[in-house]
Amino acid sequence: MDLTQTLFPLGWQHYLLGGLFIGTGVALLYLLTGLVGGMSTVFSSTWSFVSNRPFFQQERFKGSRAWRLVYAAGLILGALAWWWIVAEGTPQSTEVPAWMLLVGGLFVGYGARLGNGCTSGHGICGLGSLQWPSLLAVLTFMATAFITAHLVAWRLG
């Protein structure tokens, strides 16, 4: 098996197509509306519906939550379309234990709050607009992801 098949067992074309769609969508969102489409703000603005904590009740969250919900719905529908079209409805699974996924999710959430944004905000929007703090954030995200992936592979292997 060659390296391409090892890294991309389902093929690489749909990853390229997905990246083009994401990049185009985020660019159009910014060019047409001036809005930045990072997902950690979608998460925080959604919490503004159910939490009265002052952090979630900031105007930047309350004032943008309607379009951000539509944005999140589009991402969910896009994932469902991929699952239906590319994966042909085949259930996807992982060998990573549920507790590791939960702990990883908590670390990602904490990191997104600490880094004032997530990988989509910094990696797609921030780098696309040439913001140097986003470059530092992305380098930190990627280094952490490489280390974590190797630790998990070592743990499971």
Side-chain angles (χ1 to χ4, degrees):
M1 184 181 289
D2 71 0
L3 183 61
T4 303
Q5 290 175 327
T6 302
L7 295 175
F8 306 105
L10 299 176
W12 57 269
Q13 296 86 350
H14 62 278
Y15 294 108
L16 176 62
L17 185 61
L20 291 172
F21 278 139
I22 290 170
T24 301
V26 167
L28 287 174
L29 177 67
Y30 184 73
L31 289 172
L32 297 175
T33 66
L35 300 171
V36 177
M39 289 310 297
S40 63
T41 308
V42 170
F43 180 76
S44 297
S45 66
T46 303
W47 272 102
S48 73
F49 282 110
V50 295
S51 175
N52 288 327
R53 296 191 66 172
F55 176 79
F56 296 115
Q57 294 304 313
Q58 295 177 61
E59 183 54 36
R60 68 185 180 122
F61 295 140
K62 289 175 59 175
S64 67
R65 61 188 182 188
W67 76 263
R68 291 186 190 279
L69 281 177
V70 172
Y71 185 66
L75 291 173
I76 292 167
L77 292 173
L80 287 173
W82 176 90
W83 177 66
W84 189 14
I85 296 167
V86 176
E88 298 174 346
T90 304
Q92 304 295 300
S93 64
T94 181
E95 294 181 18
V96 178
W99 71 268
M100 282 185 170
L101 294 173
L102 179 64
V103 170
L106 292 172
F107 277 127
V108 167
Y110 177 74
R113 208 33 49 224
L114 184 66
N116 198 25
C118 59
T119 52
S120 62
H122 285 298
I124 299 169
C125 304
L127 288 181
S129 59
L130 303 176
Q131 295 182 21
W132 289 110
S134 289
L135 176 61
L136 295 175
V138 168
L139 291 174
T140 303
F141 296 155
M142 294 306 294
T144 304
F146 291 144
I147 292 167
T148 303
H150 280 57
L151 288 174
V152 169
W154 171 76
R155 168 77 169 92
L156 294 176

